[in-house]
Amino acid sequence: MEDWIRMFIKQPFEGVPEEEKNSIIRQTVNILKNNLFYDGGWYADYVRIRGKWDKKK
């Protein structure tokens, strides 16, 4: 899942320091794992995962 996020979710991470980006991705994978990882593999379709970001920091 981490590789999938890195491959397809680019725009929200533009300008984000690498360490922070890695932390966000790790946290996201941990959250998704509860519902999308079973029987030794990841199960997700393209409509199930949506990225949302708030540029107001």
Side-chain angles (χ1 to χ4, degrees):
M1 185 58 66
E2 185 172 330
D3 290 339
W4 187 93
I5 291 170
R6 290 182 187 284
M7 186 179 304
F8 293 107
I9 311 290
K10 304 243 188 234
Q11 185 181 11
F13 294 114
E14 290 176 2
V16 175
E18 195 67 22
E19 188 173 316
E20 185 176 355
K21 173 183 170 179
N22 292 336
S23 176
I24 292 167
I25 291 172
R26 279 192 305 272
Q27 290 175 47
T28 301
V29 169
N30 286 334
I31 291 167
L32 293 174
K33 193 170 189 174
N34 292 329
N35 294 313
L36 301 180
F37 186 84
Y38 50 92
D39 294 334
W42 287 95
Y43 293 86
D45 56 49
Y46 73 96
V47 296
R48 188 176 272 177
I49 300 172
R50 296 280 188 232
K52 181 180 178 184
W53 64 96
D54 184 357
K55 291 196 176 203
K56 299 181 228 168
K57 268 193 163 184

